[in-house]
Amino acid sequence: MNTTSNVLILIALLPFIGALVPGLMIRAGRNACASFTAVPTAIALVLLLTFAPAVMDGQVIQAEVNWLPQLGLSASFFLDGLGLLFGCMILGVGLLITLYARFYLSGEDPVGQFYTYLLLFQGAMLGIVLSDNILLLLVFWELTSLSSFLLIGYWKHLPEGRQGARMALTVTGAGGLAMIGGMLILGNIAGSYNLTDILQAGDAIRASEWYLPALILILLGAFTKSAQFPFHFWLPHAMAAPTPVSAYLHSATMVKAGVFLMARMWPVLSGTDAWFYIVATIGLITMVLGALIALFKDDLKALLAFSTVSHLGLLTMLLGFGTEAAAVAAVFHIINHLTFKAALFMTAGIIDHETHTRDIKRLGGLRHLMPITFFIGTVAALSMAGIPLFNGFLSKEMMLEEASHTYWAGSAYAVPVLATIGALLSVAYSFRFISHVFFGPVRDDYPSKPHDPPFGLWASPALLVILVILIGVMPFLAEGFVTAAASAVTGADLHPHLKIWHGVTPALFMSIIAVAGGAALLAMYAPLDRAWINAPRPEAKAIFDRLIAAIVGVAQRITSATHNGSISRYLAIFTTASVVLGAIAFMGAGLSAPTRGMLPVPAVIAVGWVMLVVATISVVTMHHHRFRALVLIGIIGLTISAGFVYMSAPDLALTQISVETVTIMLLLLALHFLPKETPKESPFGLKIRDGIIALAAGAGVGGLAFAFMQRDISTISSYHVENSYEGGGGTNVVNVILVDFRGYDTYGEIIVLGIAGLLIYALMHALLEGPAARRLRNADYSQDRSKDRHPLMMVVVTRVLMPIALVVGLYIFLRGHNQPGGGFVAGLVVAIALLMQYMASGFAWTQDRQRIEYHTLIGFGVIIAGVTGAGAWVFGVPFLTSSYTYVHLPPIEEFELATAMLFDLGVFLTVLGAVMLMLYSLSRIARFAGSTVNVDPMDYDPGSHAEDTPEAR
Amino acid sequence: MELLVASAIGAMTAGGVYLLLRLRTFPVILGLALLSYAVNVFIFSSGRLAIDMSPILSKYGDASYTDPLPQALVLTAIVISFGMTAVLVMVSLGAFLEADTDSIDIDPSETDKDATK
């Protein structure tokens, strides 16, 4: 029964691939864009049709690509009769719409964009009908909402377009959210997210206590998408879209997605009372209400929109009946509605295009002026009315037949009577479409002189109308599709026979009543119309707008009540919450007895501790004097480095010392521009509150650390120690972890560091172009300026130190894999050596001698690290697997050449580049702020002593 | 020894949090620096304290080593926290130069003005 074919994936992907082209070819003109839209669609259609014989034979075509198997999410597709029917509809009508839109849109519209959106939508829609995984289906479902938003709002300059698009997105998007919930419940009950599995689990699902919530949530999604009462209001507003969009989305495809979903889920969800009463009732109400409103709409597209609402109600009702015959009727009507409604929308578009109005009250008498359009429109409208020999008649008869023997809450008349009324109204508005637009006297006040459009514009609806007649006269032509689709919907092997004459049945009488009544209703149209206009009725858009405004109002009140712009308040709340949550967690579980004894405390460590604690307290008490606080921070950092040395962490000590140095330099540079004192502005109460929060946090963290250090736990660390030499080729385990075991982390971290450097550079540039630049220019920093900015001694010493520092950096880098050191530390050491040149010899002098941009260093660093990691792929091993060999280079001790070293080189370059770029950016600001520039390594401040030194420039 | 390290962590955390809750950018940056010291030492201490057991494999027979993993994590954390401090310094510098105040809170009266605009 099941065949696997990856062509199915190609079919699903084709529209998305194709979507790239028209958007890029936006300047190539309408013909090129339309052709490049038609090609992928046509290929997909042909490929799909190659499966048609097999699928009609009852086979199911499947294809699967694992995506996130842990979440039950796979990109799996399957094609059965229902999918084939919808796929052909989507792609076939897509082709016709592509042609129609080519002639409908004007040269001034951004046509490339339109076709890109159209293909995106087509791909999403195709995805829905081909998905085998309901999570994947949901992704495509949301994608149709988004792409239809783009299409409805395509004419961005029209406010109705934008509002209509927003409303459609809100309603269908909200329904989609509800449906996600329903689908997840369904998947949970069935134990699988694959549709094929879920369809097998119908009994279990219907018996589950979660059936009703799942049903309601899924139906919310389907009803909003298919514009069922009370969510029908978005569809008429979506008519602000260009007519090709209306014809495609709002008659043939998107609004049918809800119907499709109900059909797809039919074997699982239907057959219960809840299903019948919710689905059939809503469908019935929608059918009658939509038809009633449609009758009184003057805008051609609004009339068709409400008629679509009505027909979608009809389909929903049929699916709600839950019988196999009703399912057959629904499937057949899906085809028929597609043909006549798309043709009607295109006819309305042609009339609008040629006469420049869609107002029925301003039209009439077009049958002589536009004979081709008249023929197409009339045939399609007669089919919509359900007149024999057109396809609409056949499915409407089947619907009436089903309705005639359906009981609703014990009543044998409710459904048949209402269904007949719906049919009657449908006849009335269809006849109105014909008679008020095409018949009547020829007028002389059309906004534009009407005539038939060029062939390109009427070709698509003409083709559809031919289908209307063919199916209407020879219904057995559609039997193959209907059989395959209906069998797929019901899960049973059906063999329906579609024929025109069913004999004298109740349905025939209902049809006769409907046609006669509809004609009579139209005869009395004028007084009815006046009564309708005077009757009070709720305006859906106003209600919707008020609802949205109310929700926005609530959201704004909550936001403004909680977010008052005080960051310190947020931080206080955040810290308190963390401490409280931590305390609750800590209280919740008991504390086992300590398993480790405490280490002894030598005197020197005790002195270090006193220094650290005193410095910390002093920072807090003296933070108003910013320079002093900065010095104290430096003391704390250095004490910690010493602590690392003592506690067996030489790498950390090296890193901490060098980072400490650059951090202090950075803060000093920044402090140059900031106020030197912090004003004493916190009220006493606030200080007390913050003090309590701080002490609680400190006690909590300290206590946690103390408890932690006294107990043993099993860790994965021994693995690293054991495999460091054999697996990573290094004896410095910390470095091997960085460049090998956890190289991926390190790779991410150097990228973050590089981004931070670039971010600072970008911020600097933005600052120097804004109002800050003016302030910097005008501020007077001369008080801070040293008389001897570049002291001779320092210049000489740093000059001598430079090569030494570079050698030290190289040494630390090379030994890093086996002894303390490595790329991070080496990068920082070299950065400090360079910074010293900046400090001693001046910004401009150093800058003149800089050969490589720091951005380049960052870039090369990341690239080298990445390429090294990717190089492992060449040897068929995972990303960042290293290999190594040992080299003994006399005077230096034996060291090892590993690919990890290349990776470390990347780390080195990135760290160097990022640190230098950060400090360079701050120096740029300093230079901008009026610091004079020196070209010689040593100079005197020209502001003060220029006249004393003849050789000074 | 453990008590000293834990109390130092606690002291730095308390100082860091207190400074973090001040109203000007510079103390907040200092507070973050203090807090990152505390966090780094905390993560480091999660490997348990050890003396003369550097995670450098010895060529000469068996030796015991301290836990290298927290050290590797802290090493990168030190470098990254430098990067973040630098970004923060630049942002606060920019804010001060643009707005002429280094207060971290938005004045509610000014936001109301913006809202009514």
Side-chain angles (χ1 to χ4, degrees):
Chain A
M1 280 295 271
N2 295 352
T3 321
T4 305
S5 172
N6 287 330
V7 177
L8 210 51
I9 297 173
L10 180 66
I11 295 175
L13 278 180
L14 263 171
F16 291 110
I17 299 168
L20 296 171
V21 182
L24 294 175
M25 311 207 6
I26 198 153
R27 299 198 187 288
R30 285 182 287 177
N31 286 332
C33 286
S35 315
F36 277 97
T37 308
V39 169
T41 316
I43 297 175
L45 184 61
V46 169
L47 290 175
L48 197 66
L49 285 175
T50 57
F51 289 123
V55 171
M56 292 202 188
D57 230 26
Q59 287 191 35
V60 175
I61 319 285
Q62 286 180 314
E64 180 163 16
V65 179
N66 268 332
W67 183 3
L68 290 174
Q70 297 88 342
L71 287 180
L73 184 57
S74 63
S76 50
F77 298 95
F78 83 127
L79 181 71
D80 63 354
L82 188 65
L84 180 71
L85 171 67
F86 269 88
C88 289
M89 278 165 46
I90 292 160
L91 293 168
V93 179
L95 271 180
L96 297 180
I97 293 292
T98 306
L99 173 67
Y100 180 79
R102 153 68 188 85
F103 291 92
Y104 183 84
L105 294 174
S106 82
E108 285 146 30
D109 292 318
V111 179
Q113 250 176 47
F114 178 84
Y115 282 117
T116 294
Y117 296 162
L118 198 73
L119 279 174
L120 263 184
F121 171 78
Q122 183 179 301
M125 204 55 217
L126 203 58
I128 290 183
V129 301
L130 294 182
S131 292
D132 189 6
N133 186 294
I134 50 173
L135 300 178
L136 187 68
L137 190 149
L138 286 170
V139 172
F140 285 121
W141 186 273
E142 296 297 332
L143 205 55
T144 57
S145 293
L146 288 177
S147 51
S148 77
F149 171 80
L150 293 171
L151 281 168
I152 297 170
Y154 172 68
W155 280 327
K156 301 180 190 73
H157 53 278
L158 298 179
E160 310 90 75
R162 297 198 300 268
Q163 287 161 12
R166 219 158 44 218
M167 187 191 274
L169 184 67
T170 311
V171 176
T172 58
L177 284 180
M179 203 173 82
I180 292 178
M183 289 295 199
L184 291 179
I185 296 177
L186 211 59
N188 243 343
I189 304 175
S192 158
Y193 289 109
N194 269 354
L195 256 176
T196 24
D197 298 332
I198 291 174
L199 291 182
Q200 304 297 322
D203 290 330
I205 289 169
R206 279 189 297 273
S208 162
E209 55 177 347
W210 285 94
Y211 167 74
L212 197 60
L215 176 70
I216 291 172
L217 287 172
I218 291 176
L219 286 180
L220 270 177
F223 285 173
T224 48
K225 202 72 154 188
S226 282
Q228 295 298 296
F229 176 83
F231 308 112
H232 61 283
F233 58 89
W234 71 263
L235 185 56
H237 286 286
M239 289 298 136
T243 304
V245 175
S246 311
Y248 194 32
L249 272 66
H250 304 131
S251 76
T253 52
M254 188 174 94
V255 291
K256 295 260 173 68
V259 174
F260 168 82
L261 195 83
M262 286 186 268
R264 182 97 284 174
M265 294 292 171
W266 195 87
V268 179
L269 297 176
S270 78
T272 60
D273 274 355
W275 170 270
F276 173 75
Y277 282 108
I278 297 176
V279 180
T281 312
I282 293 284
L284 193 60
I285 294 173
T286 312
M287 177 171 87
V288 177
L289 195 73
L292 182 67
I293 302 175
L295 180 58
F296 295 103
K297 282 290 168 188
D298 288 330
D299 181 354
L300 273 181
K301 277 177 78 178
L303 185 155
L304 292 175
F306 277 105
S307 127
T308 305
V309 168
S310 165
H311 280 270
L312 290 167
L314 185 157
L315 291 170
T316 305
M317 178 184 78
L318 281 174
L319 290 170
F321 286 165
T323 61
E324 287 173 354
V328 173
V331 169
F332 193 28
H333 194 68
I334 287 172
I335 302 176
N336 297 337
H337 178 248
L338 161 90
T339 51
F340 65 70
K341 188 54 68 63
L344 280 171
F345 265 115
M346 292 191 210
T347 308
I350 291 172
I351 293 169
D352 187 17
H353 202 254
E354 301 304 328
T355 66
H356 292 198
T357 181
R358 303 195 306 243
D359 190 343
I360 296 179
K361 292 216 162 91
R362 301 179 64 187
L363 293 166
L366 292 180
R367 70 184 181 285
H368 295 303
L369 298 168
M370 308 172 76
I372 302 172
T373 315
F374 163 63
F375 176 75
I376 294 171
T378 308
V379 170
L382 288 177
S383 176
M384 177 160 78
I387 303 299
L389 296 186
F390 302 110
N391 61 359
F393 167 74
L394 303 165
S395 44
K396 183 160 284 185
E397 280 279 295
M398 289 160 78
M399 180 277 283
L400 291 172
E401 172 68 30
E402 287 307 308
S404 69
H405 49 71
T406 300
Y407 287 78
W408 195 89
S411 158
Y413 294 104
V415 176
V417 167
L418 280 171
T420 313
I421 291 177
L424 187 151
L425 289 167
S426 170
V427 170
Y429 67 67
S430 303
F431 284 178
R432 177 165 182 243
F433 184 94
I434 301 169
S435 69
H436 287 192
V437 173
F438 295 110
F439 285 88
V442 174
R443 302 165 64 141
D444 51 11
D445 59 347
Y446 304 116
S448 169
K449 175 127 185 63
H451 54 79
D452 265 324
F455 171 72
L457 208 50
W458 61 259
S460 298
L463 194 68
L464 289 168
V465 161
I466 292 172
L467 282 177
V468 166
I469 299 173
L470 276 181
I471 300 175
V473 180
M474 296 178 281
F476 54 85
L477 287 179
E479 226 169 68
F481 270 109
V482 174
T483 307
S487 304
V489 170
T490 55
D493 199 10
L494 298 179
H495 295 284
H497 292 286
L498 308 173
K499 49 187 191 243
I500 301 176
W501 182 248
H502 290 267
V504 183
T505 56
L508 189 67
F509 291 112
M510 289 157 82
S511 255
I512 294 170
I513 294 171
V515 174
L521 210 57
L522 191 64
M524 321 184 279
Y525 184 74
L528 282 177
D529 191 36
R530 274 195 298 280
W532 174 263
I533 288 170
N534 292 328
R537 42 182 201 280
E539 173 55 48
K541 186 172 186 314
I543 299 172
F544 176 79
D545 285 347
R546 272 206 302 280
L547 189 69
I548 294 290
I551 294 172
V552 170
V554 170
Q556 266 169 354
R557 268 202 300 285
I558 293 175
T559 310
S560 58
T562 49
H563 290 238
N564 64 350
S566 165
I567 300 175
S568 41
R569 196 176 92 166
Y570 307 159
L571 285 173
I573 294 173
F574 169 71
T575 320
T576 315
S578 320
V579 172
V580 169
L581 286 177
I584 291 172
F586 201 77
M587 305 296 174
L591 200 57
S592 62
T595 55
R596 291 171 72 99
M598 286 208 254
L599 296 172
V601 182
V604 64
I605 295 299
V607 171
W609 179 83
V610 171
M611 260 172 72
L612 192 133
V613 172
V614 169
T616 308
I617 295 171
S618 310
V619 169
V620 172
T621 51
M622 291 200 241
H623 76 270
H624 295 283
H625 305 280
R626 293 181 172 180
F627 273 116
R628 229 176 283 168
L630 205 51
V631 173
L632 289 167
I633 287 279
I635 293 177
I636 297 172
L638 292 178
T639 316
I640 290 175
S641 321
F644 282 145
V645 173
Y646 181 70
M647 289 184 286
S648 317
D651 280 288
L652 288 191
L654 276 173
T655 317
Q656 181 72 53
I657 288 183
S658 32
V659 164
E660 199 54 45
T661 315
V662 283
T663 309
I664 298 294
M665 280 189 199
L666 179 95
L667 286 171
L668 274 174
L669 264 174
L671 195 51
H672 177 57
F673 306 102
L674 291 169
K676 309 293 176 285
E677 303 268 314
T678 306
K680 301 197 171 177
E681 56 188 348
S682 303
F684 186 68
L686 192 71
K687 283 185 187 169
I688 294 292
R689 184 202 74 176
D690 292 347
I692 291 171
I693 295 176
L695 286 177
V701 174
L704 183 64
F706 188 54
F708 209 79
M709 278 186 279
Q710 284 186 300
R711 283 159 184 85
D712 285 302
I713 44 161
S714 68
T715 66
I716 56 170
S717 302
S718 56
Y719 171 85
H720 297 109
V721 175
E722 281 154 20
N723 289 286
S724 169
Y725 191 70
E726 250 121 67
T731 53
N732 180 1
V733 187
V734 173
N735 185 269
V736 174
I737 291 175
L738 284 177
V739 298
D740 196 324
F741 291 127
R742 306 198 65 82
Y744 213 72
D745 291 1
T746 310
Y747 186 51
E749 293 188 46
I750 60 170
I751 291 177
V752 170
L753 197 66
I755 292 174
L758 295 174
L759 174 64
I760 287 175
Y761 182 76
L763 274 172
M764 181 266 295
H765 260 285
L767 270 184
L768 295 187
E769 277 160 19
R774 255 197 322 282
R775 189 164 288 132
L776 274 172
R777 286 260 186 240
N778 296 332
D780 181 18
Y781 292 106
S782 60
Q783 293 300 314
D784 303 341
R785 197 170 293 155
S786 159
K787 290 268 169 23
D788 188 6
R789 289 187 304 162
H790 306 297
L792 178 63
M793 284 298 280
M794 197 167 161
V795 173
V796 173
V797 169
T798 51
R799 221 49 84 67
V800 176
L801 266 179
M802 181 74 182
I804 301 175
L806 288 181
V807 170
V808 169
L810 181 71
Y811 173 68
I812 289 180
F813 175 74
L814 285 181
R815 75 199 283 253
H817 217 46
N818 292 317
Q819 296 294 318
F824 275 109
V825 184
L828 289 165
V829 167
V830 173
I832 292 171
L834 289 173
L835 285 173
M836 279 175 12
Q837 304 302 312
Y838 275 88
M839 280 181 1
S841 303
F843 182 83
W845 182 86
T846 320
Q847 200 60 38
D848 274 351
R849 281 150 188 82
Q850 182 205 351
R851 295 277 180 276
I852 306 170
E853 292 281 336
Y854 299 127
H855 311 69
T856 324
L857 280 185
I858 298 177
F860 270 115
V862 173
I863 289 173
I864 289 175
V867 168
T868 311
W873 284 332
V874 178
F875 301 99
V877 284
F879 190 65
L880 279 173
T881 309
S882 69
S883 61
Y884 57 90
T885 171
Y886 283 88
V887 177
H888 192 83
L889 210 70
I892 314 175
E893 10 174 345
E894 179 188 65
F895 69 97
E896 151 248 5
L897 270 183
T899 55
M901 185 154 280
L902 262 179
F903 182 78
D904 220 12
L905 179 66
V907 174
F908 166 80
L909 289 176
T910 313
V911 170
L912 178 62
V915 172
M916 290 310 292
L917 192 61
M918 289 168 184
L919 287 142
Y920 161 82
S921 301
L922 271 170
S923 317
R924 272 288 302 271
I925 294 184
R927 193 178 150 186
F928 200 82
S931 299
T932 48
V933 171
N934 63 323
V935 281
D936 286 329
M938 290 158 270
D939 66 354
Y940 292 100
D941 188 352
S944 58
H945 288 294
E947 64 281 1
D948 301 342
T949 49
E951 65 270 64
R953 302 174 196 186
Chain B
M1 187 73 191
E2 274 79 0
L3 187 61
L4 291 194
V5 174
S7 58
I9 294 173
M12 288 189 289
T13 309
V17 168
Y18 182 79
L19 289 179
L20 201 63
L21 298 176
R22 296 303 90 208
L23 304 174
R24 300 286 166 152
T25 52
F26 200 75
V28 172
I29 293 172
L30 292 185
L32 274 178
L34 262 183
L35 205 56
S36 43
Y37 289 146
V39 171
N40 287 343
V41 177
F42 179 81
I43 298 175
F44 168 73
S45 74
S46 73
R48 309 304 182 279
L49 304 185
I51 294 164
D52 289 339
M53 293 205 280
S54 303
I56 313 288
L57 299 183
S58 163
K59 283 183 190 172
Y60 314 105
D62 285 339
S64 51
Y65 306 103
T66 183
D67 189 344
L69 196 56
Q71 292 197 13
L73 298 182
V74 170
L75 201 155
T76 47
I78 292 174
V79 180
I80 289 286
S81 63
F82 162 71
M84 291 304 107
T85 309
V87 171
L88 207 63
V89 164
M90 197 67 191
V91 169
S92 61
L93 186 60
F96 173 68
L97 290 175
E98 297 266 335
D100 206 15
T101 170
D102 61 348
S103 170
I104 62 165
D105 289 349
I106 300 169
D107 188 355
S109 58
E110 280 182 25
T111 44
D112 290 348
K113 244 185 291 164
D114 288 342
T116 50
K117 255 179 214 166

